[in-house]
Short mmCIF file of all heavy atoms in Angstrom, two decimals:
data_model
loop_
_atom_site.label_atom_id
_atom_site.label_comp_id
_atom_site.label_asym_id
_atom_site.label_seq_id
_atom_site.Cartn_x
_atom_site.Cartn_y
_atom_site.Cartn_z
N ALA I 1 162.82 130.48 123.48
CA ALA I 1 162.46 129.57 124.55
C ALA I 1 161.36 128.61 124.09
O ALA I 1 161.36 127.45 124.49
CB ALA I 1 162.02 130.34 125.78
N ILE I 2 160.45 129.07 123.26
CA ILE I 2 159.37 128.21 122.79
C ILE I 2 159.94 127.07 121.94
O ILE I 2 159.52 125.93 122.06
CB ILE I 2 158.32 129.01 121.99
CG1 ILE I 2 157.61 130.00 122.90
CG2 ILE I 2 157.33 128.09 121.29
CD1 ILE I 2 156.68 130.96 122.19
N ARG I 3 160.92 127.38 121.16
CA ARG I 3 161.54 126.37 120.29
C ARG I 3 162.15 125.23 121.11
O ARG I 3 162.09 124.07 120.73
CB ARG I 3 162.61 127.04 119.44
CG ARG I 3 163.14 126.18 118.31
CD ARG I 3 164.20 126.90 117.50
NE ARG I 3 163.82 128.20 117.01
CZ ARG I 3 163.12 128.44 115.90
NH1 ARG I 3 162.71 127.43 115.16
NH2 ARG I 3 162.83 129.66 115.53
N ASP I 4 162.71 125.54 122.27
CA ASP I 4 163.38 124.55 123.11
C ASP I 4 162.49 123.93 124.17
O ASP I 4 162.89 122.98 124.84
CB ASP I 4 164.60 125.18 123.80
CG ASP I 4 165.65 125.65 122.80
OD1 ASP I 4 165.76 125.02 121.72
OD2 ASP I 4 166.34 126.64 123.08
N ALA I 5 161.28 124.44 124.33
CA ALA I 5 160.40 123.98 125.41
C ALA I 5 159.86 122.59 125.14
O ALA I 5 159.52 122.24 124.01
CB ALA I 5 159.23 124.95 125.57
N GLU I 6 159.77 121.80 126.21
CA GLU I 6 159.15 120.49 126.11
C GLU I 6 157.62 120.64 126.11
O GLU I 6 156.92 119.93 125.40
CB GLU I 6 159.59 119.61 127.26
CG GLU I 6 159.08 118.19 127.17
CD GLU I 6 159.66 117.29 128.23
OE1 GLU I 6 160.61 117.68 128.93
OE2 GLU I 6 159.14 116.17 128.37
N TYR I 7 157.12 121.57 126.93
CA TYR I 7 155.70 121.85 127.03
C TYR I 7 155.47 123.35 126.82
O TYR I 7 156.28 124.16 127.25
CB TYR I 7 155.14 121.48 128.40
CG TYR I 7 155.32 120.03 128.74
CD1 TYR I 7 156.34 119.62 129.58
CD2 TYR I 7 154.46 119.06 128.22
CE1 TYR I 7 156.52 118.28 129.89
CE2 TYR I 7 154.63 117.73 128.52
CZ TYR I 7 155.66 117.34 129.35
OH TYR I 7 155.83 116.02 129.66
N VAL I 8 154.37 123.69 126.18
CA VAL I 8 154.02 125.09 125.98
C VAL I 8 152.63 125.30 126.60
O VAL I 8 151.64 124.76 126.11
CB VAL I 8 154.00 125.47 124.49
CG1 VAL I 8 153.58 126.92 124.31
CG2 VAL I 8 155.36 125.22 123.86
N ILE I 9 152.61 126.03 127.71
CA ILE I 9 151.35 126.31 128.39
C ILE I 9 150.94 127.73 128.03
O ILE I 9 151.71 128.67 128.21
CB ILE I 9 151.50 126.14 129.91
CG1 ILE I 9 151.87 124.69 130.22
CG2 ILE I 9 150.20 126.54 130.62
CD1 ILE I 9 152.18 124.42 131.66
N VAL I 10 149.74 127.88 127.51
CA VAL I 10 149.25 129.16 127.01
C VAL I 10 148.12 129.64 127.91
O VAL I 10 147.06 129.02 127.97
CB VAL I 10 148.75 129.00 125.55
CG1 VAL I 10 148.22 130.32 125.03
CG2 VAL I 10 149.84 128.45 124.66
N ASP I 11 148.35 130.76 128.61
CA ASP I 11 147.33 131.33 129.50
C ASP I 11 146.51 132.34 128.72
O ASP I 11 147.00 133.40 128.35
CB ASP I 11 148.00 131.98 130.71
CG ASP I 11 147.00 132.46 131.75
OD1 ASP I 11 145.77 132.39 131.50
OD2 ASP I 11 147.44 132.90 132.82
N LEU I 12 145.27 131.99 128.47
CA LEU I 12 144.38 132.83 127.67
C LEU I 12 143.65 133.90 128.48
O LEU I 12 142.91 134.70 127.91
CB LEU I 12 143.34 131.94 126.97
CG LEU I 12 143.92 130.88 126.03
CD1 LEU I 12 142.82 129.95 125.56
CD2 LEU I 12 144.64 131.53 124.87
N THR I 13 143.87 133.93 129.79
CA THR I 13 143.25 134.94 130.64
C THR I 13 143.65 136.33 130.15
O THR I 13 144.81 136.57 129.85
CB THR I 13 143.70 134.74 132.11
OG1 THR I 13 143.45 133.39 132.49
CG2 THR I 13 142.98 135.69 133.04
N ASP I 14 142.71 137.21 130.02
CA ASP I 14 142.89 138.60 129.59
C ASP I 14 143.17 138.77 128.10
O ASP I 14 143.43 139.86 127.64
CB ASP I 14 143.99 139.31 130.40
CG ASP I 14 143.66 139.39 131.87
OD1 ASP I 14 142.46 139.48 132.22
OD2 ASP I 14 144.60 139.33 132.70
N GLU I 15 143.15 137.69 127.32
CA GLU I 15 143.27 137.74 125.85
C GLU I 15 144.37 138.68 125.35
O GLU I 15 144.13 139.56 124.52
CB GLU I 15 141.93 138.15 125.22
CG GLU I 15 140.82 137.18 125.49
CD GLU I 15 139.57 137.52 124.73
OE1 GLU I 15 139.65 137.74 123.51
OE2 GLU I 15 138.51 137.59 125.37
N ARG I 16 145.58 138.48 125.81
CA ARG I 16 146.70 139.31 125.35
C ARG I 16 147.13 138.88 123.94
O ARG I 16 147.36 137.69 123.70
CB ARG I 16 147.86 139.20 126.33
CG ARG I 16 147.50 139.79 127.69
CD ARG I 16 148.60 139.58 128.73
NE ARG I 16 149.02 138.19 128.87
CZ ARG I 16 148.41 137.27 129.60
NH1 ARG I 16 147.30 137.57 130.25
NH2 ARG I 16 148.87 136.05 129.68
N PRO I 17 147.25 139.81 122.99
CA PRO I 17 147.57 139.46 121.60
C PRO I 17 148.87 138.67 121.45
O PRO I 17 148.94 137.76 120.62
CB PRO I 17 147.67 140.81 120.90
CG PRO I 17 146.86 141.73 121.73
CD PRO I 17 147.01 141.24 123.15
N ASN I 18 149.89 138.99 122.22
CA ASN I 18 151.15 138.28 122.08
C ASN I 18 151.01 136.79 122.42
O ASN I 18 151.71 135.95 121.86
CB ASN I 18 152.24 138.91 122.93
CG ASN I 18 151.95 138.83 124.42
OD1 ASN I 18 150.87 139.23 124.87
ND2 ASN I 18 152.89 138.32 125.19
N VAL I 19 150.09 136.46 123.31
CA VAL I 19 149.88 135.08 123.70
C VAL I 19 149.35 134.28 122.51
O VAL I 19 149.79 133.15 122.26
CB VAL I 19 148.93 134.98 124.90
CG1 VAL I 19 148.55 133.54 125.20
CG2 VAL I 19 149.56 135.62 126.12
N PHE I 20 148.43 134.85 121.74
CA PHE I 20 147.91 134.16 120.57
C PHE I 20 149.01 133.96 119.52
O PHE I 20 149.11 132.92 118.89
CB PHE I 20 146.73 134.94 119.97
CG PHE I 20 145.51 134.91 120.82
CD1 PHE I 20 145.20 135.98 121.65
CD2 PHE I 20 144.67 133.80 120.83
CE1 PHE I 20 144.07 135.95 122.45
CE2 PHE I 20 143.54 133.76 121.62
CZ PHE I 20 143.25 134.83 122.44
N TYR I 21 149.85 134.97 119.36
CA TYR I 21 150.97 134.87 118.42
C TYR I 21 151.92 133.75 118.83
O TYR I 21 152.31 132.91 118.01
CB TYR I 21 151.72 136.21 118.36
CG TYR I 21 152.94 136.16 117.48
CD1 TYR I 21 152.82 136.31 116.10
CD2 TYR I 21 154.20 135.93 118.01
CE1 TYR I 21 153.93 136.26 115.28
CE2 TYR I 21 155.31 135.87 117.20
CZ TYR I 21 155.17 136.04 115.83
OH TYR I 21 156.28 135.97 115.02
N GLU I 22 152.27 133.71 120.11
CA GLU I 22 153.21 132.69 120.60
C GLU I 22 152.60 131.29 120.53
O GLU I 22 153.30 130.32 120.24
CB GLU I 22 153.65 133.04 122.02
CG GLU I 22 154.51 134.28 122.04
CD GLU I 22 154.68 134.90 123.41
OE1 GLU I 22 154.07 134.41 124.38
OE2 GLU I 22 155.44 135.88 123.51
N ALA I 23 151.30 131.16 120.76
CA ALA I 23 150.63 129.87 120.63
C ALA I 23 150.68 129.40 119.18
O ALA I 23 150.92 128.22 118.90
CB ALA I 23 149.18 129.97 121.11
N GLY I 24 150.46 130.31 118.26
CA GLY I 24 150.55 129.97 116.83
C GLY I 24 151.96 129.57 116.44
O GLY I 24 152.15 128.65 115.65
N PHE I 25 152.95 130.27 116.98
CA PHE I 25 154.35 129.93 116.71
C PHE I 25 154.65 128.52 117.20
O PHE I 25 155.26 127.72 116.50
CB PHE I 25 155.27 130.95 117.39
CG PHE I 25 156.73 130.69 117.17
CD1 PHE I 25 157.31 130.92 115.93
CD2 PHE I 25 157.53 130.22 118.19
CE1 PHE I 25 158.65 130.67 115.72
CE2 PHE I 25 158.88 129.98 118.00
CZ PHE I 25 159.44 130.20 116.75
N ALA I 26 154.19 128.19 118.41
CA ALA I 26 154.40 126.86 118.97
C ALA I 26 153.73 125.81 118.10
O ALA I 26 154.32 124.76 117.80
CB ALA I 26 153.86 126.79 120.39
N ALA I 27 152.51 126.08 117.66
CA ALA I 27 151.80 125.13 116.80
C ALA I 27 152.54 124.94 115.48
O ALA I 27 152.61 123.84 114.95
CB ALA I 27 150.37 125.61 116.56
N GLY I 28 153.13 126.02 114.96
CA GLY I 28 153.92 125.93 113.73
C GLY I 28 155.15 125.07 113.89
O GLY I 28 155.65 124.50 112.92
N LEU I 29 155.64 124.97 115.11
CA LEU I 29 156.78 124.10 115.41
C LEU I 29 156.34 122.67 115.73
O LEU I 29 157.14 121.86 116.18
CB LEU I 29 157.58 124.66 116.60
CG LEU I 29 158.26 126.01 116.36
CD1 LEU I 29 158.87 126.52 117.66
CD2 LEU I 29 159.33 125.88 115.29
N ARG I 30 155.05 122.41 115.53
CA ARG I 30 154.45 121.09 115.79
C ARG I 30 154.45 120.72 117.28
O ARG I 30 154.54 119.57 117.65
CB ARG I 30 155.10 120.00 114.96
CG ARG I 30 154.90 120.20 113.49
CD ARG I 30 155.45 119.04 112.70
NE ARG I 30 155.28 119.29 111.29
CZ ARG I 30 154.34 118.72 110.55
NH1 ARG I 30 153.50 117.89 111.08
NH2 ARG I 30 154.26 118.99 109.27
N LYS I 31 154.34 121.74 118.11
CA LYS I 31 154.15 121.53 119.54
C LYS I 31 152.67 121.73 119.83
O LYS I 31 152.04 122.58 119.22
CB LYS I 31 154.98 122.51 120.35
CG LYS I 31 156.48 122.31 120.12
CD LYS I 31 157.29 123.29 120.92
CE LYS I 31 158.75 123.12 120.60
NZ LYS I 31 159.43 122.27 121.54
N VAL I 32 152.13 120.94 120.71
CA VAL I 32 150.71 121.05 121.03
C VAL I 32 150.57 121.92 122.28
O VAL I 32 150.95 121.48 123.38
CB VAL I 32 150.07 119.67 121.27
CG1 VAL I 32 148.61 119.81 121.65
CG2 VAL I 32 150.23 118.80 120.02
N PRO I 33 150.09 123.15 122.13
CA PRO I 33 149.94 124.01 123.31
C PRO I 33 148.89 123.47 124.28
O PRO I 33 147.90 122.88 123.87
CB PRO I 33 149.46 125.35 122.72
CG PRO I 33 149.82 125.30 121.28
CD PRO I 33 149.74 123.84 120.90
N ILE I 34 149.14 123.66 125.56
CA ILE I 34 148.17 123.35 126.60
C ILE I 34 147.53 124.67 126.97
O ILE I 34 148.19 125.57 127.51
CB ILE I 34 148.85 122.72 127.83
CG1 ILE I 34 149.55 121.42 127.43
CG2 ILE I 34 147.83 122.48 128.94
CD1 ILE I 34 150.47 120.86 128.50
N TYR I 35 146.25 124.84 126.65
CA TYR I 35 145.55 126.09 126.88
C TYR I 35 144.92 126.10 128.26
O TYR I 35 144.24 125.15 128.65
CB TYR I 35 144.47 126.30 125.82
CG TYR I 35 145.02 126.48 124.43
CD1 TYR I 35 144.95 125.45 123.50
CD2 TYR I 35 145.61 127.67 124.05
CE1 TYR I 35 145.45 125.61 122.22
CE2 TYR I 35 146.13 127.84 122.78
CZ TYR I 35 146.04 126.81 121.87
OH TYR I 35 146.55 126.97 120.61
N ILE I 36 145.16 127.19 128.99
CA ILE I 36 144.55 127.38 130.30
C ILE I 36 143.92 128.77 130.35
O ILE I 36 144.30 129.66 129.58
CB ILE I 36 145.57 127.22 131.45
CG1 ILE I 36 146.63 128.33 131.39
CG2 ILE I 36 146.21 125.84 131.43
CD1 ILE I 36 147.54 128.39 132.61
N ALA I 37 142.95 128.95 131.24
CA ALA I 37 142.34 130.27 131.44
C ALA I 37 141.61 130.28 132.78
O ALA I 37 141.05 129.27 133.20
CB ALA I 37 141.35 130.59 130.32
N ARG I 38 141.65 131.42 133.42
CA ARG I 38 140.90 131.57 134.66
C ARG I 38 139.41 131.47 134.35
O ARG I 38 138.95 131.97 133.33
CB ARG I 38 141.21 132.92 135.31
CG ARG I 38 140.58 133.08 136.68
CD ARG I 38 141.15 134.26 137.43
NE ARG I 38 142.55 134.13 137.77
CZ ARG I 38 143.03 133.42 138.80
NH1 ARG I 38 142.20 132.77 139.58
NH2 ARG I 38 144.32 133.38 139.05
N ARG I 39 138.68 130.76 135.20
CA ARG I 39 137.23 130.57 135.00
C ARG I 39 136.57 131.96 134.83
O ARG I 39 136.89 132.89 135.52
CB ARG I 39 136.61 129.84 136.18
CG ARG I 39 135.20 129.39 135.89
CD ARG I 39 134.67 128.40 136.89
NE ARG I 39 135.53 127.26 137.15
CZ ARG I 39 135.69 126.20 136.34
NH1 ARG I 39 135.07 126.17 135.19
NH2 ARG I 39 136.47 125.20 136.68
N GLY I 40 135.71 132.05 133.84
CA GLY I 40 135.05 133.32 133.52
C GLY I 40 135.65 133.99 132.30
O GLY I 40 135.07 134.94 131.77
N THR I 41 136.80 133.51 131.85
CA THR I 41 137.41 134.05 130.64
C THR I 41 136.58 133.64 129.44
O THR I 41 136.19 132.48 129.31
CB THR I 41 138.85 133.52 130.48
OG1 THR I 41 139.64 133.93 131.59
CG2 THR I 41 139.49 134.02 129.20
N LYS I 42 136.32 134.58 128.56
CA LYS I 42 135.55 134.30 127.35
C LYS I 42 136.38 133.43 126.41
O LYS I 42 137.55 133.68 126.19
CB LYS I 42 135.21 135.62 126.66
CG LYS I 42 134.42 135.48 125.41
CD LYS I 42 134.17 136.86 124.80
CE LYS I 42 133.92 136.71 123.32
NZ LYS I 42 134.01 137.98 122.62
N ARG I 43 135.75 132.38 125.89
CA ARG I 43 136.42 131.49 124.94
C ARG I 43 136.48 132.20 123.59
O ARG I 43 135.45 132.50 122.99
CB ARG I 43 135.66 130.18 124.82
CG ARG I 43 136.35 129.15 123.96
CD ARG I 43 135.50 127.90 123.83
NE ARG I 43 135.45 127.15 125.06
CZ ARG I 43 136.13 126.03 125.27
NH1 ARG I 43 136.92 125.56 124.34
NH2 ARG I 43 136.03 125.40 126.42
N HIS I 44 137.66 132.50 123.11
CA HIS I 44 137.86 133.21 121.86
C HIS I 44 137.42 132.33 120.69
O HIS I 44 137.64 131.12 120.70
CB HIS I 44 139.34 133.58 121.71
CG HIS I 44 139.59 134.66 120.74
ND1 HIS I 44 139.82 134.43 119.42
CD2 HIS I 44 139.63 136.01 120.90
CE1 HIS I 44 140.02 135.57 118.79
NE2 HIS I 44 139.91 136.54 119.68
N PHE I 45 136.80 132.93 119.68
CA PHE I 45 136.22 132.15 118.58
C PHE I 45 137.26 131.30 117.85
O PHE I 45 136.95 130.23 117.35
CB PHE I 45 135.48 133.05 117.59
CG PHE I 45 136.37 133.90 116.73
CD1 PHE I 45 136.76 133.45 115.48
CD2 PHE I 45 136.82 135.14 117.16
CE1 PHE I 45 137.59 134.23 114.68
CE2 PHE I 45 137.63 135.93 116.37
CZ PHE I 45 138.03 135.46 115.12
N ASP I 46 138.52 131.74 117.79
CA ASP I 46 139.55 130.98 117.10
C ASP I 46 139.91 129.68 117.82
O ASP I 46 140.50 128.79 117.22
CB ASP I 46 140.84 131.81 116.97
CG ASP I 46 140.71 132.92 115.95
OD1 ASP I 46 139.69 132.98 115.26
OD2 ASP I 46 141.65 133.73 115.86
N LEU I 47 139.58 129.59 119.09
CA LEU I 47 139.98 128.45 119.90
C LEU I 47 138.79 127.59 120.36
O LEU I 47 138.94 126.77 121.25
CB LEU I 47 140.79 128.92 121.11
CG LEU I 47 142.08 129.64 120.77
CD1 LEU I 47 142.72 130.22 122.02
CD2 LEU I 47 143.04 128.71 120.05
N GLN I 48 137.65 127.77 119.74
CA GLN I 48 136.46 127.05 120.18
C GLN I 48 136.60 125.54 120.06
O GLN I 48 135.95 124.81 120.80
CB GLN I 48 135.25 127.52 119.38
CG GLN I 48 134.96 128.98 119.63
CD GLN I 48 133.51 129.23 119.92
OE1 GLN I 48 132.68 128.37 119.76
NE2 GLN I 48 133.22 130.42 120.38
N ASP I 49 137.43 125.06 119.16
CA ASP I 49 137.57 123.62 118.95
C ASP I 49 138.73 123.01 119.73
O ASP I 49 139.02 121.83 119.56
CB ASP I 49 137.74 123.32 117.46
CG ASP I 49 136.50 123.69 116.66
OD1 ASP I 49 135.39 123.61 117.22
OD2 ASP I 49 136.64 124.05 115.48
N TYR I 50 139.40 123.80 120.55
CA TYR I 50 140.55 123.31 121.31
C TYR I 50 140.16 123.16 122.78
O TYR I 50 139.41 123.97 123.32
CB TYR I 50 141.73 124.28 121.20
CG TYR I 50 142.29 124.36 119.81
CD1 TYR I 50 141.81 125.28 118.88
CD2 TYR I 50 143.31 123.50 119.41
CE1 TYR I 50 142.32 125.35 117.60
CE2 TYR I 50 143.84 123.57 118.13
CZ TYR I 50 143.34 124.50 117.23
OH TYR I 50 143.85 124.56 115.96
N PRO I 51 140.70 122.13 123.44
CA PRO I 51 140.41 121.99 124.87
C PRO I 51 141.12 123.08 125.67
O PRO I 51 142.29 123.40 125.41
CB PRO I 51 140.95 120.60 125.22
CG PRO I 51 141.96 120.30 124.16
CD PRO I 51 141.52 121.04 122.93
N ILE I 52 140.40 123.64 126.62
CA ILE I 52 140.96 124.67 127.51
C ILE I 52 140.70 124.23 128.94
O ILE I 52 139.58 123.84 129.28
CB ILE I 52 140.30 126.04 127.26
CG1 ILE I 52 140.53 126.50 125.82
CG2 ILE I 52 140.83 127.08 128.24
CD1 ILE I 52 139.78 127.76 125.44
N ILE I 53 141.73 124.27 129.75
CA ILE I 53 141.58 123.97 131.17
C ILE I 53 141.21 125.27 131.87
O ILE I 53 142.01 126.21 131.92
CB ILE I 53 142.89 123.40 131.76
CG1 ILE I 53 143.26 122.09 131.06
CG2 ILE I 53 142.74 123.20 133.27
CD1 ILE I 53 144.64 121.58 131.43
N PHE I 54 139.99 125.35 132.39
CA PHE I 54 139.56 126.52 133.14
C PHE I 54 139.82 126.26 134.62
O PHE I 54 139.56 125.17 135.12
CB PHE I 54 138.07 126.80 132.89
CG PHE I 54 137.80 127.33 131.51
CD1 PHE I 54 137.37 126.49 130.50
CD2 PHE I 54 137.98 128.67 131.23
CE1 PHE I 54 137.12 126.97 129.23
CE2 PHE I 54 137.73 129.18 129.96
CZ PHE I 54 137.31 128.32 128.96
N PHE I 55 140.33 127.27 135.31
CA PHE I 55 140.68 127.09 136.72
C PHE I 55 140.19 128.24 137.56
O PHE I 55 140.01 129.35 137.08
CB PHE I 55 142.21 126.93 136.87
CG PHE I 55 143.00 128.15 136.46
CD1 PHE I 55 143.37 129.10 137.39
CD2 PHE I 55 143.37 128.33 135.13
CE1 PHE I 55 144.10 130.22 137.01
CE2 PHE I 55 144.10 129.45 134.75
CZ PHE I 55 144.47 130.39 135.70
N ASP I 56 139.94 127.93 138.84
CA ASP I 56 139.52 128.94 139.81
C ASP I 56 140.70 129.48 140.61
O ASP I 56 140.72 130.63 140.99
CB ASP I 56 138.49 128.36 140.78
CG ASP I 56 137.17 128.09 140.09
OD1 ASP I 56 136.71 128.95 139.32
OD2 ASP I 56 136.61 127.01 140.31
N GLY I 57 141.67 128.64 140.86
CA GLY I 57 142.82 129.03 141.65
C GLY I 57 144.02 128.20 141.27
O GLY I 57 143.93 127.22 140.54
N LEU I 58 145.18 128.60 141.76
CA LEU I 58 146.41 127.94 141.37
C LEU I 58 146.50 126.50 141.86
O LEU I 58 147.07 125.65 141.19
CB LEU I 58 147.61 128.75 141.86
CG LEU I 58 147.74 130.13 141.21
CD1 LEU I 58 148.95 130.86 141.77
CD2 LEU I 58 147.84 130.01 139.70
N ARG I 59 145.93 126.20 143.00
CA ARG I 59 145.96 124.81 143.49
C ARG I 59 145.20 123.89 142.53
O ARG I 59 145.66 122.82 142.19
CB ARG I 59 145.37 124.72 144.89
CG ARG I 59 145.38 123.28 145.41
CD ARG I 59 145.00 123.22 146.84
NE ARG I 59 146.12 123.80 147.60
CZ ARG I 59 146.01 124.28 148.82
NH1 ARG I 59 144.86 124.24 149.45
NH2 ARG I 59 147.04 124.78 149.44
N TYR I 60 144.01 124.34 142.10
CA TYR I 60 143.23 123.55 141.15
C TYR I 60 143.99 123.40 139.83
O TYR I 60 144.04 122.31 139.25
CB TYR I 60 141.87 124.22 140.90
CG TYR I 60 141.05 123.52 139.85
CD1 TYR I 60 140.33 122.37 140.16
CD2 TYR I 60 141.00 124.01 138.56
CE1 TYR I 60 139.58 121.72 139.19
CE2 TYR I 60 140.25 123.36 137.59
CZ TYR I 60 139.55 122.23 137.90
OH TYR I 60 138.82 121.59 136.94
N LEU I 61 144.61 124.47 139.37
CA LEU I 61 145.37 124.43 138.12
C LEU I 61 146.51 123.43 138.21
O LEU I 61 146.74 122.64 137.29
CB LEU I 61 145.90 125.82 137.78
CG LEU I 61 146.76 125.92 136.54
CD1 LEU I 61 146.00 125.47 135.30
CD2 LEU I 61 147.28 127.34 136.37
N LYS I 62 147.22 123.43 139.31
CA LYS I 62 148.33 122.50 139.50
C LYS I 62 147.84 121.05 139.38
O LYS I 62 148.46 120.24 138.70
CB LYS I 62 148.96 122.72 140.87
CG LYS I 62 150.10 121.79 141.18
CD LYS I 62 150.63 122.03 142.57
CE LYS I 62 151.63 120.97 142.95
NZ LYS I 62 152.06 121.07 144.33
N ASP I 63 146.72 120.72 140.00
CA ASP I 63 146.17 119.38 139.93
C ASP I 63 145.77 119.02 138.50
O ASP I 63 146.00 117.90 138.03
CB ASP I 63 144.97 119.24 140.87
CG ASP I 63 145.34 119.35 142.34
OD1 ASP I 63 146.55 119.18 142.66
OD2 ASP I 63 144.44 119.60 143.14
N GLU I 64 145.17 119.95 137.78
CA GLU I 64 144.74 119.69 136.42
C GLU I 64 145.93 119.48 135.49
O GLU I 64 145.92 118.59 134.66
CB GLU I 64 143.89 120.85 135.89
CG GLU I 64 142.49 120.89 136.46
CD GLU I 64 141.67 119.68 136.06
OE1 GLU I 64 141.61 119.37 134.86
OE2 GLU I 64 141.10 119.04 136.95
N LEU I 65 146.97 120.30 135.64
CA LEU I 65 148.14 120.16 134.78
C LEU I 65 148.90 118.87 135.07
O LEU I 65 149.48 118.27 134.17
CB LEU I 65 149.07 121.36 134.95
CG LEU I 65 148.56 122.67 134.36
CD1 LEU I 65 149.50 123.81 134.71
CD2 LEU I 65 148.36 122.56 132.86
N ALA I 66 148.87 118.42 136.31
CA ALA I 66 149.55 117.16 136.66
C ALA I 66 148.90 115.99 135.94
O ALA I 66 149.56 115.00 135.65
CB ALA I 66 149.50 116.95 138.17
N GLY I 67 147.63 116.12 135.59
CA GLY I 67 146.92 115.05 134.90
C GLY I 67 147.11 115.05 133.39
O GLY I 67 146.65 114.15 132.71
N CYS I 68 147.78 116.06 132.84
CA CYS I 68 147.95 116.16 131.37
C CYS I 68 149.01 115.21 130.86
O CYS I 68 149.97 114.90 131.24
CB CYS I 68 148.33 117.58 130.98
SG CYS I 68 146.95 118.72 131.08
#
């Protein structure tokens, strides 16, 4: 599904290992992942240089993603 996706949204909330793997796979396919995380999520050291959209609730997230 990642190979065929137009957009790849990566939810970093809870730091699940498979999410990092899938984000790397997407990047390897030259897709630019859109990183999101619930406010309060620790920014992982590997992603310090990437923009992350932090959100409080789904309504706010929807508005932020519409602007991407």
